[in-house]
Amino acid sequence: MLAPNLNLAQLPRTQQATVASIEWERMSPTEARRLREFGLDEGVDIELLHRAMLSGGPLACRIGRMTVALRAHVAGAIRVAPLAG
């Protein structure tokens, strides 16, 4: 079971979750636009696939059928919740 108020950077690897909220203001306009183009928004299912060995490194996530690399500060702005059901 996921802890409440968890951000994507804290999600255990291979754990699936639903995007609960996104703090768009913590990202640059370019980063926010890129995520929206990938279809990332509240209610979307997401899974953390890999995390860089170095602290603060990028993360690989599955959004739908895509694998997307995210910077750690971007992942930290994405709040997740357990999958419903």
Side-chain angles (χ1 to χ4, degrees), residues 38 44-46 49 61-68:
F38 289 143
V44 170
D45 292 344
I46 194 165
L49 300 175
C61 303
R62 179 172 293 128
I63 303 169
R65 295 185 348 205
M66 294 181 296
T67 300
V68 177

Side-chain angles (χ1 to χ4, degrees), residues 3-18:
N5 205 27
L6 196 67
N7 69 47
L8 181 59
Q10 298 168 321
L11 189 66
R13 199 173 64 79
T14 72
Q15 175 73 50
Q16 295 182 354
T18 299

Side-chain angles (χ1 to χ4, degrees), residues 11-57:
L11 189 66
R13 199 173 64 79
T14 72
Q15 175 73 50
Q16 295 182 354
T18 299
V19 175
S21 65
I22 302 172
E23 298 174 55
W24 296 109
E25 67 279 357
R26 290 182 53 189
M27 299 175 216
S28 73
T30 303
E31 291 168 330
R33 183 178 63 247
R34 178 176 169 253
L35 292 183
R36 287 184 175 112
E37 289 171 354
F38 289 143
L40 187 68
D41 209 346
E42 292 179 10
V44 170
D45 292 344
I46 194 165
E47 177 183 2
L48 178 61
L49 300 175
H50 301 284
R51 179 181 284 116
M53 296 289 280
L54 298 174
S55 178

